[in-house]
Amino acid sequence: MILSGACAVVSWSGGKDSCLALWRAVRHGVKPVALLTMLDESGERSRSHGARPEVLALQAAALGLPQRLGCASWNDYREVFVTQLRAAAADGCQAAVFGDIDLDAHREWEEQVCAEAGLRAMLPLWQESRAELAREFVAAGFAARIVMVNTSLIDEKWLGRVFDAALIDEMLAEGVDPCGEGGEFHTLVVDGPLFNRPLALKDGEVARLGEYRALDLLPA
């Protein structure tokens, strides 16, 4: 359920799903007040997508929103996340926006941590077709790159690709989930209707992290 008129903090990975959730929330009258991103213990990468803080900062600047950053290991992730949510609530937020689509365990966790912080969890994409959500993201005018792939699930050939209509069709033809809900891949949004300017980025090195391959996008 989307709470029209609510002030909300946005759980922000930098990828397509959190961006589409923000887009939908804004179109339904929600006022986003900050982007909440969790970094690893070192603070050098985002916990979910491996994005650099300076790239996340470029996204926030292009979106015109302040950031809330938490650093955590997986062991204290929940504690740090709830602390960030409580700080958002203290600043006047009534809700938090999440980009999950249909994984019940994720929704339950989000509702629990929001309840601990006195917030409502909003999931604007919940229970909708994965393929149609991917197409909506592209049709709305957003641009993204695939920055991480799990090679135990999909081929490395997808890494670095632009997330567009042709790619979605290609993924569907090969039996790949175009939303990557099973952890097949992660994206980084670089432009779109919420952005006041496209991100100026250049390709860095490709890291081999066990079964993962990650493209390091850098400020140009």
Side-chain angles (χ1 to χ4, degrees):
M1 180 178 181
I2 299 178
L3 303 176
S4 180
C7 292
V9 62
V10 181
S11 180
W12 182 258
S13 68
K16 60 178 177 50
D17 296 336
S18 61
C19 186
L20 184 60
L22 170 60
W23 171 242
R24 281 195 168 187
V26 168
R27 286 166 65 88
H28 280 83
V30 174
K31 180 183 177 182
V33 297
L35 304 175
L36 169 55
T37 305
M38 295 294 289
L39 307 178
D40 61 21
E41 306 96 310
S42 69
E44 295 178 357
R45 299 279 179 175
S46 65
R47 174 56 69 185
S48 57
H49 287 38
R52 291 176 176 266
E54 53 266 39
V55 173
L56 294 166
L58 288 177
Q59 284 184 322
L63 290 166
L65 291 170
Q67 293 179 286
R68 288 187 174 275
L69 301 176
C71 297
S73 67
W74 288 122
N75 290 332
D76 63 347
Y77 185 98
R78 182 189 181 111
E79 177 184 353
V80 174
F81 196 85
V82 171
T83 297
Q84 290 291 333
L85 291 180
R86 285 176 173 153
D91 285 346
C93 286
Q94 294 95 38
V97 175
F98 298 92
D100 285 286
I101 300 169
D102 54 26
L103 300 180
D104 288 331
H106 288 195
R107 178 170 190 153
E108 290 168 7
W109 187 89
E110 289 155 1
E111 289 178 340
Q112 289 168 6
V113 295
C114 282
E116 288 182 41
L119 298 175
R120 291 281 299 277
M122 288 194 291
L123 289 81
L125 314 183
W126 190 248
Q127 292 294 321
E128 297 203 28
S129 161
R130 296 179 181 184
E132 290 311 308
L133 287 171
R135 291 191 176 106
E136 179 183 337
F137 174 83
V138 172
F142 289 104
R145 300 275 303 280
I146 294 179
V147 293
M148 186 179 293
V149 298
N150 183 339
T151 59
S152 70
L153 300 174
I154 62 172
D155 195 278
E156 187 175 346
K157 71 178 184 179
W158 302 104
L159 187 65
R161 293 278 300 275
V162 174
F163 194 83
D164 57 16
L167 178 135
I168 294 169
D169 289 342
E170 189 178 341
M171 283 188 162
L172 290 170
E174 296 191 20
V176 175
D177 172 16
C179 278
E181 282 293 278
E184 296 91 339
F185 65 93
H186 293 304
T187 57
L188 185 90
V189 182
V190 297
D191 196 13
L194 292 173
F195 288 61
N196 57 40
R197 58 184 176 277
L199 272 59
L201 300 173
K202 61 183 180 181
D203 289 9
E205 297 181 354
V206 173
R208 304 173 70 87
L209 309 168
E211 60 198 12
Y212 291 91
R213 303 291 181 269
L215 170 63
D216 196 15
L217 292 183
L218 307 167

